[in-house]
C-alpha cells in the first residue's frame, strides 16, 4: 500500500475533542509509516503532536479575517512542495480557505479533500463547506442524520466513524498510581474520603454547569460524604459566568462541597476516582468524548438523552439516560446509584483503534477512487 502524506487542518491545538482526535489520527498515520502534517495556529497540544512524530505547520488558518485568504497561494505551494496526498479539514473557516485553494487547482495536480462534521453547525452556506470533501466523515448517527437532513448529502459520500477511546488504556480496572494520588490530595485535600461526582466540560451555561449545581442542592442534603468536581477550562469570555456560578454555589451552601479545578490534563485519573460522571449539556453533543471515556473506565454516567451521548448510553448503560433538563430526575438517579451502583457494559463499540483504522481506510479509498479515474 502506498505511503501517504496527510495534512489535517484546524484552527488551533489548545484543547478539546476535535483537537484530541486530530492528534490520534496523526499518531496512527505515523505508526503505520505514513507522513503526518497538521496545520493550526498552535497551542498547548503541539508538543505532544510533534513528540509522536508529526510535523506542525503554524499558520493562522482559522483566523476569521479576509486577510487569511492571502494564505491561498501559499497553501497551493505547500501542497506541491510537500507532495500532500490528502487534506483533511475539521473546522469551517479553515475549510473555506482550503476549499478555495483546492478548487482553483486542476484535479490532476491537487490533493484529495476529506472533511469531518464534528458538530451541529448552523444550517446555511457557511456551514455547508463541511460537506465539501470527496468523503465526509460524520462522528455519530445523530450527526449523520443531521447532515443528510440539512444538506442532502448523497449517502455514498458520508462515512460514519464514531470517535473512540483507547480501550487498552481506559479499562474498568484502571487506577491512578500512588504518586498521582498523593499529588492530587495535596492539592485538593477536601476530596479525601469523599465520593466524587464529576462534570468534565469547558465551563459554560450550555454544558450544564448550572444544572449540575442545582442537582447538587438535592443530593448534598442527603449525603454529606459527597464532593462535586467541575473539571474544565474557563475561557476568557466565560469569566463572568464563572463568577455567577461561584455565587450560585455559595448561595446554595455548597462552597465546601464543590471544587472548580479549571483545565486539567489528568481527567482520566480524576474520572477513575469518581462515583458518577455527568453529561448535562442542554444542547445535544455531537458525540461526547468524556462520556465514553468514563464508561470505558467502568464509571457510571448520568446524561441527558439526546445527541451522541444518548447513543453511547443506549449501548453501554441505558438506565443512565434522563430527560433533557430534568434536574430532579438526575438527582433521584444519583441518590439511587450512590446506594446501588449500576454495572456498565464493557465498551467494544467506541474504540480508538477502530476509529483510527477506519479513518485511514477513508484516505486510502479516496486515493483508490482517483486511481480508478474518479474525479
Amino acid at each position: 500500500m502506498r505511503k501517504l502524506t496527510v495534512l489535517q487542518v484546524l484552527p488551533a491545538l489548545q484543547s478539546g475533542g476535535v483537537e484530541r482526535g486530530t492528534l490520534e489520527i496523526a499518531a496512527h498515520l505515523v505508526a503505520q509509516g505514513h507522513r503526518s502534517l497538521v496545520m493550526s495556529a498552535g497551542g498547548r497540544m503541539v508538543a505532544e503532536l510533534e513528540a509522536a512524530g508529526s510535523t506542525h505547520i503554524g499558520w493562522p488558518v482559522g483566523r476569521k479575517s479576509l486577510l487569511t485568504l492571502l494564505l491561498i497561494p501559499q497553501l497551493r505551494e505547500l501542497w506541491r512542495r510537500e507532495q500532500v496526498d490528502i487534506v483533511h479539514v475539521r473546522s469551517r473557516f479553515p475549510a473555506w480557505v482550503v476549499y478555495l485553494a483546492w478548487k482553483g487547482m486542476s484535479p490532476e495536480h491537487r490533493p484529495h479533500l476529506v472533511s469531518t462534521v464534528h458538530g451541529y453547525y448552523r444550517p446555511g452556506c457557511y456551514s455547508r463547506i463541511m460537506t465539501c470533501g470527496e468523503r465526509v466523515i460524520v462522528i455519530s448517527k445523530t450527526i449523520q442524520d443531521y447532515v443528510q437532513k440539512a444538506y442532502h448529502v448523497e449517502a455514498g459520500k458520508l462515512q460514519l466513524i464514531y470517535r473512540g477511546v483507547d480501550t487498552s488504556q481506559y479499562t474498568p480496572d484502571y487506577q491512578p498510581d500512588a504518586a498521582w494520588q498523593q499529588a492530587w490530595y495535596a492539592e485538593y485535600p477536601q476530596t479525601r474520603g469523599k465520593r466524587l461526582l464529576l462534570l468534565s466540560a469547558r465551563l459554560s451555561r450550555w454544558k450544564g454547569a448550572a444544572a449540575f449545581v442545582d442537582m447538587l442542592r438535592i443530593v448534598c442534603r442527603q449525603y454529606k460524604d459527597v464532593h462535586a468536581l467541575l473539571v474544565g477550562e474557563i475561557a476568557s469570555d466565560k469569566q463572568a459566568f464563572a463568577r455567577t456560578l461561584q455565587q450560585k454555589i455559595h448561595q446554595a451552601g455548597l462552597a465546601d462541597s464543590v471544587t472548580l479545578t479549571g483545565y486539567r490534563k489528568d481527567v482520566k485519573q480524576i474520572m477513575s476516582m469518581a462515583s458518577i460522571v455527568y453529561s448535562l449539556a442542554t444542547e445535544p453533543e455531537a458525540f461526547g468524548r468524556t462520556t465514553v471515556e468514563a464508561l470505558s473506565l467502568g464509571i457510571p454516567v448520568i446524561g441527558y438523552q439526546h445527541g451522541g451521548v444518548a447513543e453511547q448510553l443506549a449501548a453501554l448503560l441505558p438506565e443512565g439516560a434522563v430527560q433533557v433538563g430534568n434536574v430532579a430526575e438526575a438527582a433521584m438517579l444519583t441518590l439511587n446509584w450512590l446506594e446501588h451502583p449500576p454495572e456498565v457494559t464493557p465498551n467494544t463499540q467506541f474504540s480508538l483503534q477502530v476509529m483510527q483504522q477506519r479513518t485511514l481506510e477513508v484516505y486510502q479509498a479516496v486515493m483508490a477512487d482517483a486511481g480508478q479515474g474518479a474525479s
Side-chain angles (χ1 to χ4, degrees):
M1 183 63 68
R2 175 185 167 185
K3 299 305 180 184
L4 303 177
T5 295
V6 178
L7 171 65
Q8 298 182 80
V9 183
L10 70 166
L13 283 171
Q14 197 65 12
S15 66
V18 175
E19 294 80 357
R20 174 56 51 192
T22 299
L23 264 64
E24 289 166 346
I25 294 303
H28 185 66
L29 286 167
V30 173
Q32 297 300 311
H34 302 287
R35 185 165 172 242
S36 168
L37 312 176
V38 175
M39 178 179 290
S40 83
R44 61 168 69 99
M45 300 172 82
V46 170
E48 182 181 351
L49 173 80
E50 294 180 332
S54 292
T55 298
H56 182 255
I57 301 167
W59 289 14
V61 72
R63 182 180 58 190
K64 293 180 179 178
S65 165
L66 290 176
L67 294 175
T68 308
L69 299 179
L70 297 176
L71 293 174
I72 287 175
Q74 298 176 55
L75 272 173
R76 292 171 179 157
E77 175 55 31
L78 174 76
W79 296 341
R80 295 188 192 100
R81 184 176 70 248
E82 302 295 339
Q83 297 183 312
V84 173
D85 296 299
I86 303 283
V87 179
H88 186 169
V89 292
R90 295 178 172 274
S91 179
R92 287 175 292 178
F93 194 84
W96 273 108
V97 178
V98 165
Y99 182 75
L100 291 172
W102 180 83
K103 193 67 174 175
M105 297 176 72
S106 60
E108 62 268 24
H109 294 126
R110 67 192 182 194
H112 294 282
L113 188 60
V114 173
S115 59
T116 294
V117 181
H118 285 281
Y120 297 90
Y121 307 124
R122 181 177 298 174
C125 291
Y126 179 61
S127 297
R128 185 180 295 275
I129 194 64
M130 294 312 297
T131 66
C132 70
E134 295 166 76
R135 290 289 194 284
V136 180
I137 296 171
V138 289
I139 66 171
S140 64
K141 289 180 181 176
T142 302
I143 294 299
Q144 182 177 37
D145 293 343
Y146 169 76
V147 168
Q148 287 178 318
K149 180 178 178 180
Y151 301 110
H152 309 290
V153 179
E154 57 188 91
K157 279 183 62 173
L158 292 178
Q159 181 69 56
L160 171 62
I161 305 178
Y162 279 115
R163 304 298 86 185
V165 299
D166 187 342
T167 51
S168 70
Q169 299 297 317
Y170 285 80
T171 62
D173 60 355
Y174 172 80
Q175 289 291 323
D177 61 40
W180 181 90
Q181 293 188 48
Q182 183 177 4
W184 170 264
Y185 288 123
E187 188 170 0
Y188 301 105
Q190 67 272 29
T191 65
R192 187 182 292 275
K194 299 295 181 68
R195 289 189 283 181
L196 301 180
L197 307 180
L198 172 64
L199 181 70
S200 177
R202 293 170 181 167
L203 199 68
S204 67
R205 191 172 303 279
W206 83 269
K207 284 285 191 176
F212 188 53
V213 174
D214 287 335
M215 185 205 71
L216 294 170
R217 291 176 189 261
I218 302 170
V219 173
C220 291
R221 280 201 294 263
Q222 296 200 36
Y223 288 98
K224 304 303 180 186
D225 65 338
V226 162
H227 194 91
L229 298 171
L230 285 145
V231 178
E233 186 170 14
I234 304 174
S236 58
D237 62 345
K238 299 299 180 184
Q239 297 296 324
F241 173 71
R243 289 191 293 270
T244 301
L245 188 69
Q246 290 280 24
Q247 291 172 357
K248 184 181 181 76
I249 291 168
H250 280 274
Q251 290 168 358
L254 297 172
D256 295 332
S257 301
V258 181
T259 298
L260 278 68
T261 69
Y263 172 80
R264 300 280 307 195
K265 290 182 66 175
D266 51 356
V267 176
K268 174 186 174 184
Q269 289 86 343
I270 300 170
M271 282 197 301
S272 72
M273 300 198 305
S275 294
I276 305 172
V277 171
Y278 296 82
S279 175
L280 303 176
T282 55
E283 300 172 21
E285 297 272 13
F287 178 68
R289 174 183 291 266
T290 300
T291 309
V292 76
E293 287 176 345
L295 292 168
S296 299
L297 290 167
I299 306 301
V301 171
I302 294 174
Y304 287 159
Q305 192 169 12
H306 58 177
V309 171
E311 295 177 46
Q312 295 170 31
L313 288 172
L316 304 178
L317 188 63
E319 59 267 42
V322 299
Q323 183 181 357
V324 177
N326 195 330
V327 172
E329 185 183 1
M332 291 305 104
L333 189 56
T334 298
L335 294 172
N336 183 28
W337 283 5
L338 287 171
E339 287 293 328
H340 307 287
E343 289 290 326
V344 180
T345 300
N347 174 27
T348 58
Q349 296 192 38
F350 309 103
S351 159
L352 169 63
Q353 293 81 357
V354 171
M355 184 267 281
Q356 290 172 320
Q357 185 56 35
R358 292 193 66 195
T359 302
L360 179 55
E361 288 169 1
V362 167
Y363 297 158
Q364 291 168 334
V366 170
M367 296 297 295
D369 286 350
Q372 294 167 9
S375 60

